[in-house]
Amino acid sequence: MKNITVIGSGTMGNGIAHTFAQHGFNVSLVDISTEALDKALQTITRNLDRQVSKGILTGEQKHATLGRIRTFTETGPGVSDAQLVVEAATENTNLKLDIFAQLDKLAPSDAILASNTSSISITKIAARTGRPEKVIGMHFMNPVPVMKLVEVIRGYATTDETTARVMELAAALGKSPVEVNDYPGFVANRILMPMINEAIYSLHEGVAGVEEIDTVMRLGMAHPMGPLQLADFIGLDVCLAILRVLQEGFGNPKYAPCPLLVNMVEAGKQGAKTGEGFYTYTSGSKDLVVSAKFQK
Ligand SMILES: NC(=O)c1ccc[n+]([C@@H]2O[C@H](COP(=O)([O-])OP(=O)(O)OC[C@H]3O[C@@H](n4cnc5c(N)ncnc54)[C@H](O)[C@@H]3O)[C@@H](O)[C@H]2O)c1
């Protein structure tokens, strides 16, 4: 495989495009927004510069990587020569169903269609295409160029051949792929989101403040960052959406999102991307000013 198309050039799409291009693949990056595409190229350039300054890449490799990325605002020309499409558009079920119906019409008939969805059923997405055996989940972690895991999700109809090709491809990117079956939240979010939700409940019930909860998990469990800060980085709206998928998918009230999370999302506090969640953020970096109402 040489030609990869990435649909969506936001947080995850730019990282996925960067990673494939860095490993020698030709990448077509598609977004409906030219502004998002411009921002993605700036982010990729900045992240490549960081890799050069750390000695991970040479200046020549940086230029070659950028030279392998082309951008498109139309899906048709963006997927015309794709052997694999990785969809990383906004986490919205109807949007993804429409995108996959369109990809099925526009991409070469032997192309594998993968989704980077955090929680939406791969089986449901695959059913919107005429090639469900070639539809699969390829769940990269943020930041993509750094994080080793790719959760490879087999839908109901995904074949062994499709799975093997995607596992090989992830390994060719220097990642460690793990194969899982298609159930709500897959493995990563089925385990992570209840932990984050429980941390929010601990705050909501006044058991401890934001920094105390995060410190317990960082120093006591050796997590690189606490669950509340991690929720801020993932996006509180994304966490809420995933918890709702778990709650609905399993029909079990244990996944019900904490009312504080619901309130914060309704108030527009979505975490680092909006400048405020459990912490406040200035110029994108973590600022240790914690909103007073969340102090113990
Ligand atoms: N952010 C994370 O930490 C994370 C981690 C793993 C997986 N994911 C998943 O990755 C996907 C993307 O998340 P994100 O955080 O990058 O979102 P984002 O909001 O940063 O980017 C989404 C991009 O998709 C574009 N888009 C919307 N509709 C489109 C269409 N029809 N065609 C092409 N582009 C379109 C938007 O313009 C935007 O640039 C979601 O499914 C999300 O659940 C996110």
Side-chain angles (χ1 to χ4, degrees):
M1 265 195 207
K2 258 341 238 177
N3 300 330
I4 311 293
T5 296
V6 180
I7 306 287
S9 66
T11 311
M12 296 304 289
N14 81 61
I16 296 167
H18 172 152
T19 304
F20 274 106
Q22 185 188 326
H23 288 84
F25 294 89
N26 302 317
V27 176
S28 298
L29 181 57
V30 181
D31 203 295
I32 44 171
S33 151
T34 39
E35 203 188 324
L37 287 169
D38 292 344
K39 204 173 146 202
L41 287 179
Q42 284 166 22
T43 305
I44 294 170
T45 306
R46 208 173 44 244
N47 290 338
L48 284 167
D49 283 336
R50 191 173 304 132
Q51 288 174 306
V52 171
S53 69
K54 285 185 175 169
I56 298 168
L57 292 181
T58 64
E60 218 167 86
Q61 287 170 320
K62 170 196 149 177
H63 289 296
T65 299
L66 283 172
R68 284 191 281 269
I69 302 174
R70 290 181 300 160
T71 59
F72 297 85
T73 49
E74 298 282 328
T75 307
V79 297
S80 61
D81 62 357
Q83 292 163 297
L84 167 77
V85 181
V86 183
E87 172 277 320
T90 316
E91 185 79 344
N92 172 300
T93 306
N94 288 332
L95 174 73
K96 290 199 193 280
L97 295 179
D98 287 349
I99 290 176
F100 273 77
Q102 203 190 14
L103 289 175
D104 192 36
K105 288 199 191 90
L106 299 172
S109 59
D110 56 352
I112 293 178
L113 307 180
S115 177
N116 184 53
T117 178
S118 304
S119 60
I120 297 167
S121 162
I122 298 299
T123 303
K124 191 172 181 174
I125 289 172
R128 286 299 279 265
T129 74
R131 58 180 104 177
E133 73 287 353
K134 290 195 176 67
V135 177
I136 193 161
M138 206 174 178
H139 185 203
F140 290 87
M141 305 291 133
N142 186 23
V144 182
V146 177
M147 298 292 280
K148 284 278 174 209
L149 177 69
V150 179
E151 201 178 21
V152 174
I153 303 122
R154 288 183 74 126
Y156 189 84
T158 313
T159 54
D160 289 345
E161 191 198 337
T162 300
T163 308
R165 290 182 75 195
V166 167
M167 296 285 285
E168 273 166 29
L169 202 57
L173 299 175
K175 305 293 186 199
S176 301
V178 173
E179 186 185 322
V180 311
N181 287 321
D182 183 27
Y183 288 96
F186 318 133
V187 170
N189 283 311
R190 181 175 180 160
I191 296 172
L192 177 64
M193 286 302 152
M195 183 188 74
I196 286 176
N197 201 35
E198 206 56 37
I200 302 171
Y201 265 115
S202 303
L203 177 69
H204 182 59
E205 292 171 3
V207 180
V210 170
E211 291 198 285
E212 287 84 353
I213 292 168
D214 275 356
T215 303
V216 166
M217 298 305 283
R218 271 191 304 107
L219 302 187
M221 318 300 154
H223 290 192
M225 72 172 76
L228 297 174
Q229 191 188 359
L230 180 57
D232 273 359
F233 282 124
I234 293 170
L236 301 190
D237 54 329
V238 176
C239 293
L240 180 60
I242 299 171
L243 280 162
R244 294 230 192 268
V245 167
L246 293 172
Q247 186 186 16
E248 198 188 304
F250 291 115
N252 187 331
K254 79 176 177 180
Y255 298 107
C258 176
L260 174 60
L261 174 65
V262 177
N263 264 356
M264 288 176 73
V265 172
E266 279 174 0
K269 311 295 181 199
Q270 296 183 356
K273 64 187 166 189
T274 58
E276 189 183 332
F278 296 105
Y279 297 86
T280 54
Y281 298 85
T282 45
S283 62
S285 60
K286 180 180 170 249
D287 178 339
L288 273 181
V289 181
V290 182
S291 201
K293 64 183 169 176
F294 294 139
Q295 303 277 11
K296 205 165 68 142

